Amino acid sequence: MLGVESQWAPVPVRCAALHCIGDLIANHPKNLEELASKRLGEEPDLEPALNSVLRILLRTSSKQEFMAADYLFKNFCQQNPDGQTMLASTLILQPQSMIHAPVEEDINMSFGSMLLHGLTTGENEGDVEICSRAASVLSHVIKGNNQCKEKVLQIELEAPTPILGRAEPLLHRMVKYLALASSMKSKDGKSSTSENVFVQPIILKLLIIWLSDCPNAVQCFLDSRPHLTYLLELVSNPTTTVSVRGLAAVLLGECVIYNKSNASGRDAYSIVDAISQKVGLTSYFLKFDEMQKSSLFTSAKPFLPRKSLTRSSAASMAEIEDGANESSDQKNEHPMLASVFDSPFVYFLKRLEADIREKMVEAYSSPKSQVTVVPAELEQRSGENDVDYIKRLKTFVEKQCHEIQDLLSRNATLAEDLARTGGNNSSPLERKVSGGSDRVQLETLRRDLQEASQRIETLKADKAKAESEAATYKNLAGKTESDLKSLSDAYNSLEQANFRLEKEVEALKSGDIEALKEEAREEALKESEAELSDLLVCLGQEQSKVEKLSTRLRELGEDVDTLLEGIGDDAGADDADEDEEEEED
């Protein structure tokens, strides 16, 4: 009655009552079940008590009352997965006609529908504070419960101008409101950033809890490229508060450590590379240190401090409502941030920071891809001889060794800087990070050295094989050259012999003609002598016959001389002719 039903009670009384309910249900199963089943009001307008508390949280003009109601929901959801699942199951979008309905008409909505209505009305009304309040409740509903995270991740809203032809995921709408919170204006047209400094941290807290240990949420967040760009700008924006820059840095780190994507531009290595290029890793980790040194971390308590209800305590609540705390204004920190940075969340951030540091060192020190690609330089080019190929391989290996040494040197220095970021503090978390980074460096160096050694051994074997083949070809070429020289010498010898034979032939030709003439002359002479002998023989025979005939004729009484005169002249003429012919011959 004091906290919910009796709105006539003063604000400090209502806040104390809500805190009391929160304490009664904390880690108490029976009281949790009692509150979950509690209904308020009268027939027929009965509604669950949690719905009534949520309505107060969304509608109240008192920030202190919002903080008290939020404390109740935090204790209801803490270590109560059944209660979280019950609340998440009611997260159902209302018809289009109810989405733009006034807040006063939420009496007929379920808990989840009322919460979604609060999450999506900030942009329409130009006031993102309602959205941030609903975001705080949603962060309690999904904290540490992956089933609820996946459930909420499936919620899609009807966007006025749908991107990529589909409805807008609720996660994307939260990022949009995060950006709107930095440009909100008050009713007088002035910037209201100082008045609503708690809006961005609350939405960032929701996103951090949502993405924690939920790769699908990380993937959904990175589906829109501007989200990463906006976070990088938010981390490096000097006009934002220390807490906003620190929480944005944590959210970026979750996109690395819970990233299971292999897509180019969305994998963990790409996120780390983007942080390195846009922010700088050293500057990035300084955001963690700045946030941890702020009073929000150093003075974090399990719950808001409560004083006895006196006039002075009521006056201090009024100061919170008016934002008149000068020390808070000077530090640009709103008292409501104490409810955001409670002890469990602060411890969660510190533990998450250690994991982010170690994962980033590992991601930056490891190759982007484990797929081995053979460079084109290792292939022998067309028309390239073995000697040139070996020389080119040697040059390529030397270049790769220099690049590997340079890369290892830069990564070792970078990893050391990352591990030691934050000064000379030697807290257990920093020692854990330093030890983890050292292990990562040693493992990376060992792996790179082993891979380089294996590649060098392979290239040495290839070089030895190529040199062996080159030696074989060289011996074959020497043998071929020797054979060619032998053939050349033999050819020259044949040429010389041929030349000599030609000389001899020419000489023989000129000497044979004279010899043949002489031989012909001798044979002709011999034949003449033989013929002459035969002729003399014939003449002798004829002479003998003539003598016999002459004797016979004389015996017969003939005048032989007279008979022989005419024959002798004719014979002499004939003999003279024959003699002339012989002489001519």
Side-chain angles (χ1 to χ4, degrees), residues 130-158:
I130 296 178
C131 171
S132 68
R133 295 182 181 187
S136 181
V137 177
L138 183 60
S139 66
H140 302 318
V141 173
I142 65 175
K143 184 178 181 180
N145 193 320
N146 284 347
Q147 182 179 356
C148 292
K149 291 179 182 179
E150 296 290 346
K151 165 70 176 176
V152 181
L153 195 61
Q154 302 303 319
I155 297 176
E156 294 184 341
L157 310 174
E158 291 295 334

Side-chain angles (χ1 to χ4, degrees), residues 352-451:
L352 197 59
E353 180 203 354
D355 295 337
I356 291 172
R357 287 180 183 270
E358 185 172 356
K359 184 65 176 181
M360 281 198 169
V361 172
E362 179 182 354
Y364 205 84
S365 301
S366 301
K368 180 177 180 181
S369 176
Q370 300 297 332
V371 179
T372 302
V373 180
V374 179
E377 287 81 356
L378 296 181
E379 299 294 337
Q380 189 169 7
R381 298 170 182 172
S382 177
E384 184 179 27
N385 58 45
D386 294 330
V387 177
D388 293 339
Y389 177 51
I390 293 172
K391 290 181 179 179
R392 189 166 56 81
L393 284 180
K394 184 178 179 181
T395 303
F396 175 76
V397 172
E398 291 176 352
K399 179 181 177 182
Q400 290 293 312
C401 288
H402 288 309
E403 290 179 354
I404 290 173
Q405 292 298 326
D406 181 62
L407 180 61
L408 292 177
S409 177
R410 287 190 291 109
N411 281 351
T413 303
L414 177 63
E416 183 178 355
D417 291 341
L418 290 177
R420 295 180 180 178
T421 299
N424 297 324
N425 297 330
S426 57
S427 64
L429 286 175
E430 289 176 344
R431 289 195 296 271
K432 176 184 176 183
V433 172
S434 180
S437 63
D438 289 341
R439 290 195 302 272
V440 172
Q441 290 178 40
L442 291 175
E443 180 64 22
T444 302
L445 291 174
R446 186 192 62 78
R447 184 178 63 251
D448 291 342
L449 181 60
Q450 184 179 3
E451 291 177 355

Side-chain angles (χ1 to χ4, degrees), residues 225 228 232 269-280:
R225 184 65 182 179
L228 180 61
L232 292 170
Y269 184 89
S270 299
I271 305 302
V272 176
D273 191 52
I275 296 173
S276 176
Q277 293 182 9
K278 301 296 183 181
V279 181

Side-chain angles (χ1 to χ4, degrees), residues 260-330:
K260 304 299 182 183
S261 174
N262 294 322
S264 177
R266 299 182 183 178
D267 58 333
Y269 184 89
S270 299
I271 305 302
V272 176
D273 191 52
I275 296 173
S276 176
Q277 293 182 9
K278 301 296 183 181
V279 181
L281 292 179
T282 302
S283 176
Y284 168 76
F285 280 110
L286 284 177
K287 311 306 177 186
F288 289 90
D289 298 326
E290 293 173 358
M291 181 173 62
Q292 291 186 8
K293 292 177 182 178
S294 66
S295 60
L296 291 173
F297 268 66
T298 58
S299 62
K301 297 180 180 180
F303 51 84
L304 292 176
R306 297 193 300 277
K307 300 179 181 179
S308 58
L309 292 177
T310 62
R311 292 182 183 273
S312 60
S313 63
S316 65
M317 289 186 180
E319 289 179 357
I320 293 176
E321 300 300 325
D322 297 336
N325 190 313
E326 293 182 1
S327 62
S328 296
D329 289 342
Q330 292 174 357

Side-chain angles (χ1 to χ4, degrees), residues 482-533:
S482 178
D483 293 342
L484 287 175
K485 186 176 180 182
S486 300
L487 290 174
S488 178
D489 293 341
Y491 179 77
N492 290 333
S493 300
L494 291 175
E495 286 288 336
Q496 293 177 0
N498 186 40
F499 181 74
R500 181 173 54 80
L501 290 175
E502 287 181 352
K503 291 273 188 185
E504 292 178 357
V505 170
E506 290 179 357
L508 289 174
K509 284 183 178 179
S510 60
D512 285 347
I513 293 174
E514 297 298 329
L516 289 174
K517 286 183 179 181
E518 184 65 28
E519 184 178 355
R521 186 179 291 109
E522 290 178 356
E523 289 181 358
L525 183 59
K526 289 179 182 180
E527 289 179 358
S528 299
E529 291 178 352
E531 290 179 357
L532 182 59
S533 298

